[in-house]
Amino acid sequence: MLPSVVVLLMLLSSTCGEDPAIQLILTNKALSYGKAQAKDWIQQNLEHAHFPDISGNIDIGLGSVDYALTGITITKCDLPEPSVEFYPDITGFKTSIYGLSIALTGGWSTHYGLIHDSGSFDMAVLDVNVISAVELGKDPDGHLSVSSISCDAQVGDVDVQFHGGASWIFQPFVDFFKERISDEIQKRICPSVEEMIVKLESHLQAMNVSFDVNQVLSLDLHLTSLPVVASTSLNLGLKGEFYNIKTHSEPPFKLKSFTLPEQQGYMVSVGLSEFTLNSASYGYYSAGLLQADINDSMIPPYCPVHLNTTSVGRYIPQLPKLFPGLPMSLKVYAREVPVFSFQSDVVKLGLQGAVKAFAIQPNGTQTPLFTLNVDSDFSGKIWISDGRLKGSVKMDNVTLKLAASEVGTFSIDAMEKDVRLGVPVVVSLKVNKILDEGFVLPKIKQAQLVNSVLKVEEGFMAVFSDVELFLTDEGLN
Ligand SMILES: *[C@@H]1O[C@H](CO)[C@@H](O)[C@H](O)[C@H]1NC(C)=O
Ligand SMILES: *[C@@H]1O[C@H](CO)[C@@H](O)[C@H](O)[C@H]1NC(C)=O
Ligand SMILES: *[C@@H]1O[C@H](CO)[C@@H](O)[C@H](O)[C@H]1NC(C)=O
Ligand SMILES: *[C@@H]1O[C@H](CO)[C@@H](O)[C@H](O)[C@H]1NC(C)=O
Ligand SMILES: *[C@@H]1O[C@H](CO)[C@@H](O)[C@H](O)[C@H]1NC(C)=O
């Protein structure tokens, strides 16, 4: 069950003294869920488990009998609810199972001098206790690491029934055998627990702590510091920065550190700083992607102004005289990195953009006409409902300024007035329609967020959520 708890951490998702831009808290509720899931998983998997052969020899006074128990399979397993706790003393977890009982079946064979004999057996291994402590850490690359700190296993009792061959001869020696077999089993429990932990550790090491999100951005999720384990929670700090894959340059702004509140009513809390979102914004901006070419076919039909010199002439009287009856195109681009700011229940976005207008000559040449600086402020709300991330946006302000003109000066007052009326219409008809439909929350093969709540706070947003796991063999092996 211990690995599954750590897998839960891996699924939610990877240098010293850095502040984390993404924080993750796992609560006791997650441990309870994790151990119940793991119990079912272990129960199912034990039934298909490969049990190692047991062999040895027993001195029966008249020489020694070599014995081997082979082809051992589990026929029944009674797994009590394990206990899994955060263990602050070692920055890790402590797992205890008390009273595990397993019924096994298999074949036996003995060699006593030249006498060879064989048959089958049924065995019950009763009252097995296993207590294991695992430490969490961070490797130099920022991977989460796990290591076994201690393991203690005890087998309460073993009962064996031999069938076939001359089994009646050595059934009386079972009491003799018992302790030996019990020791053999006991000796094997902790190494196999440790083997599982080593396997898990190698999975963690193989995991990428930086992912390409798309062709432009990568997301760095390495641990920024050692995991912090308290009696009721595990806290992980992740780098949480998007980078432009080509330049990998740092944005011109810094992360403001924040404290993610713990919500014991939910399995996980995830805190995402505004820095994370702004680093993505910077990544797109520095890749030169925050620009678009607009021509008249993209202007919605209900718009009273169209992209031709006649229509735009209502704002610039000299335009239709200089360039009569020509279609126009616009190049729209961000002058600065668009910056998001998270405030209590509100997300604000400041856009400093520019629009460069061109007349399209009959031979296709684009003749520059003028450039406007367009600064706008938006504010929006975001929330999670029906498992989807939804939102709404409104424009708070927009100002236009003539930055350059190849057609002489003109007043932008009328244009600014129309933009102030027009943008909110486009926002409500286009943007808010998409935001209202929402986006499905990120889901991976082995886990899904359920009962999620999103809250925007000063400088960060917090998602409190439960998690549904789909444990498979692939998930843990
Ligand atoms: C890790 O990243 C590398 C390079 O980006 C990629 O080739 C590899 O498939 C990734 N591995 C996993 C397990 O995602
Ligand atoms: C407008 O732009 C689109 C996409 O770039 C293009 O397919 C279309 O032909 C253009 N229309 C005109 C009238 O230039
Ligand atoms: C210019 O746009 C107006 C709409 O504002 C339209 O009626 C007119 O046909 C367009 N002229 C050309 C030359 O495309
Ligand atoms: C296209 O037409 C414009 C205006 O008539 C002219 O100034 C320009 O030289 C022409 N360009 C080409 C490549 O023919
Ligand atoms: C809009 O922005 C301009 C320029 O920044 C400012 O003077 C004006 O007060 C703002 N209007 C509102 C309603 O915020």
Side-chain angles (χ1 to χ4, degrees), residues 304-328 358-359 369:
V305 184
H306 276 263
L307 279 182
N308 64 56
T309 51
T310 313
S311 187
V312 176
R314 69 158 78 185
Y315 306 115
I316 312 166
Q318 67 271 36
L319 185 61
K321 294 183 188 119
L322 292 167
F323 300 100
L326 290 186
M328 289 172 62
F358 299 88
L369 302 175

Side-chain angles (χ1 to χ4, degrees), residues 27 56 77 124 130 198-199 215 226 244 268 294 315 347 406-407 411 415 430 469:
T27 63
C77 166
V130 185
V198 166
K199 218 177 196 176
Q215 294 189 331
L226 285 173
N244 177 334
V268 293
I294 293 176
Y315 306 115
V347 178
E406 287 80 7
V407 295
S411 161
M415 199 189 283
K430 295 265 176 193
L469 282 185

Side-chain angles (χ1 to χ4, degrees), residues 361-365 367:
Q361 303 282 359
N363 64 9
T365 300
T367 306

Side-chain angles (χ1 to χ4, degrees), residues 206-208 210-212:
M207 276 178 79
N208 282 336
S210 177
F211 312 84
D212 291 355

Side-chain angles (χ1 to χ4, degrees), residues 293-298 327-329 360:
D293 292 316
I294 293 176
N295 61 33
D296 198 46
S297 65
M298 299 162 181
M328 289 172 62
S329 70
I360 305 169

Side-chain angles (χ1 to χ4, degrees), residues 276-298:
T276 302
L277 198 55
N278 287 329
S279 66
S281 177
Y282 177 71
Y284 282 117
Y285 174 80
S286 58
L289 288 172
L290 297 183
Q291 55 171 301
D293 292 316
I294 293 176
N295 61 33
D296 198 46
S297 65
M298 299 162 181

